[in-house]
Amino acid sequence: MMSSSCSGLSRVLVAVATALVSVSSSCPQAWGPPGVQYGQRGKSMTLCCPGVTAGTPVSWFRDGETRLLQGPDSGLGHELVLALADSTDEGTYMCRTLDGALGGMVTLQLGYPPARPVVSCRAADYENFSCTWNPSQVSGLPTRYLTSYRKKTVPGADGQRMSPSTGPWPCPQDPPAAARCVVHGAEFWSQYRINVTEVNPLGASTRLLDVSLQSILRPDPPQGLRVESVPGYPRRLRASWTYPASWPRQPHFLLKFRLQYRPVQHPAWSMVEPAGLEEVITDAVAGLPHAVRVSARDFLDAGTWSAWSPEAWGTPSTGPLPKEIPAGGQPHMQPEENPQPDSPAPPRPSLLPDPRPLDHRDPLEQMAVLASLGIFSFLGLAAGALALGLWLRLKPVGKDGPQKPGFLAPMIPVDKLPGAPNL
């Protein structure tokens, strides 16, 4: 079914390749500038004199040489046959008629037939995608690429059979002659078949690639990353960024983000996943500059994460923590006094690697952990004491000992109860 759906496009490509490739003809003219002929290395090659009619006897010479390569009595007319042509046969040839007049000049260039190109596709948003390609083998000859695509649809919910595809349409190469084509207005839930055909004077080779937009989605990195200190907090940094310009802002297609940061002395990154377009880092190392970077992905995990944004740098604040002083019922912020000008300056942070592990623990966090441990310890001791008291109270007495009233035994003898028979 798939081969039949591509038969029409294959016929079109074969027709175009046949028009472009005319190696089998006596004087190929479809490729390159006039007077240039192409051949395959290691194969026999036939040159033809461009300035005479077919069958006219001519003599062949190499340009700049007087040695006769083939005389007019060879019986080949205006053609020159080179058996197993190699790199030494490349160059310019001259053909002369019987009267010595110059019939024309031919330049021979050798190479290889095209091989199937390597194709990959990527979508930077949910509406457009692009495909790029590279030759899997260098042919050494002028090469063109024919690009097209078609949309594939699945009938019904079971999807047991592929319906006939829609298209094909040309995939515009942007810019022209670049190894890249762009499909605009694609459907996010549809599948597409990409056709990239490599054509040179010796033939054509096609690569077909099936892609779905949601699997090749990879947004561009976030933009406008800024890292700022938080005044009065020596272990905090505030990072903010924006959506990539290539991503359309729609309420049903959002991005999620991940953020990495590290101090300058340590190669290891710490990572968090912010809920929005900013994040406050609470465990920065005081006094050290930090590198921060972010990446993005579709919020429903379609495709893959984007590349990391360029790194932005920031250093936590070294100023004092502001104090709130009520004055006239209106609190205002009054920072502590700054150090005197003659006081020694704080030492500059070293940029050398520090082998010691980072201590990201916040003092407030440590106090909270200790308080929680104390509460759980008290509750555990209380539960243990209660269990021990119940066990001692309910512990049975041996056979030889006196029978003591149990924990649930009545405190008043049975015979003293009102209404009990007097035995």
Side-chain angles (χ1 to χ4, degrees):
M1 176 66 69
M2 189 60 62
S3 60
S4 61
S5 64
C6 298
S7 59
L9 181 60
S10 300
R11 287 193 293 268
V12 173
L13 294 176
V14 169
V16 174
T18 303
L20 294 175
V21 181
S22 53
V23 179
S24 58
S25 63
S26 59
C27 289
Q29 299 294 332
W31 285 87
V36 179
Q37 292 185 225
Y38 302 96
Q40 182 175 352
R41 295 179 184 271
K43 302 290 185 179
S44 297
M45 180 66 194
T46 301
L47 300 181
C48 62
C49 185
V52 299
T53 58
T56 302
V58 296
S59 301
W60 287 93
F61 302 87
R62 293 291 294 265
D63 186 23
E65 299 181 4
T66 59
R67 182 172 61 91
L68 180 65
L69 297 178
Q70 180 178 290
D73 55 352
S74 63
L76 298 177
H78 71 302
E79 296 179 342
L80 171 65
V81 177
L82 302 174
L84 303 179
D86 56 25
S87 58
T88 60
D89 295 319
E90 291 185 300
T92 302
Y93 294 79
M94 296 186 304
C95 55
R96 294 185 179 275
T97 60
L98 295 178
D99 57 1
L102 180 63
M105 302 181 68
V106 179
T107 300
L108 174 63
Q109 183 177 346
L110 300 177
Y112 298 98
R116 292 197 302 172
V118 179
V119 183
S120 61
C121 297
R122 171 182 173 262
D125 56 64
Y126 52 86
E127 295 177 341
N128 313 284
F129 69 93
S130 61
C131 296
T132 58
W133 56 87
N134 291 293
S136 58
Q137 173 183 290
V138 178
S139 65
L141 301 176
T143 303
R144 303 173 189 172
Y145 290 93
L146 308 176
T147 54
S148 63
Y149 73 98
R150 64 171 67 234
K151 184 178 72 173
K152 302 192 301 180
T153 57
V154 180
D158 55 355
Q160 296 297 322
R161 292 197 315 156
M162 299 299 295
S163 68
S165 301
T166 305
W169 301 289
C171 184
Q173 299 183 25
D174 183 23
R180 178 177 180 265
C181 72
V182 181
V183 175
H184 297 283
E187 298 178 358
F188 187 75
W189 304 110
S190 298
Q191 291 186 340
Y192 294 87
R193 166 159 289 191
I194 309 301
N195 185 315
V196 179
T197 300
E198 179 179 322
V199 185
N200 72 13
L202 303 182
S205 184
T206 297
R207 170 77 69 179
L208 299 177
L209 180 65
D210 293 337
V211 299
S212 62
L213 199 61
Q214 55 182 325
S215 64
I216 62 174
L217 181 63
R218 191 188 188 197
D220 290 330
Q223 297 177 340
L225 176 61
R226 298 178 57 188
V227 181
E228 302 172 327
S229 62
V230 180
Y233 292 89
R235 301 199 63 188
R236 294 189 180 184
L237 289 171
R238 178 180 288 108
S240 60
W241 57 91
T242 61
Y243 268 60
S246 60
W247 187 270
R249 293 299 299 270
Q250 296 290 340
H252 48 281
F253 283 102
L254 301 178
L255 292 177
K256 65 179 182 178
F257 304 93
R258 59 180 180 178
L259 179 144
Q260 285 188 340
Y261 60 97
R262 65 175 178 87
V264 68
Q265 287 183 309
H266 294 266
W269 294 89
S270 301
M271 187 170 68
V272 294
E273 292 195 6
L277 294 175
E278 67 176 12
E279 177 71 12
V280 176
I281 300 171
T282 59
D283 57 355
V285 180
L288 290 183
H290 287 64
V292 181
R293 61 185 185 180
V294 290
S295 66
R297 187 178 184 178
D298 176 74
F299 79 112
L300 292 179
D301 291 331
T304 57
W305 285 97
S306 73
W308 290 104
S309 68
E311 295 180 2
W313 291 79
T315 304
S317 172
T318 56
L321 181 65
K323 292 184 178 180
E324 293 188 3
I325 301 179
Q330 296 294 331
H332 68 278
M333 306 300 291
Q334 178 177 344
E336 295 182 357
E337 295 182 358
N338 294 327
Q340 298 298 328
D342 56 350
S343 62
R348 298 181 63 185
S350 172
L351 300 182
L352 297 177
D354 188 353
R356 296 174 298 177
L358 287 176
D359 185 7
H360 290 299
R361 294 173 295 180
D362 195 334
L364 295 178
E365 181 182 354
Q366 295 179 10
M367 294 179 60
V369 172
L370 292 177
S372 301
L373 291 177
I375 294 174
F376 282 116
S377 299
F378 174 77
L379 294 177
L381 290 175
L386 180 61
L388 179 61
L390 291 175
W391 180 78
L392 292 176
R393 189 73 173 174
L394 298 176
K395 180 179 178 182
V397 183
K399 296 181 180 181
D400 298 334
Q403 186 72 22
K404 295 182 180 181
F407 179 72
L408 301 178
M411 302 300 296
I412 303 175
V414 178
D415 56 352
K416 300 297 183 180
L417 293 176
N422 188 3
L423 301 176

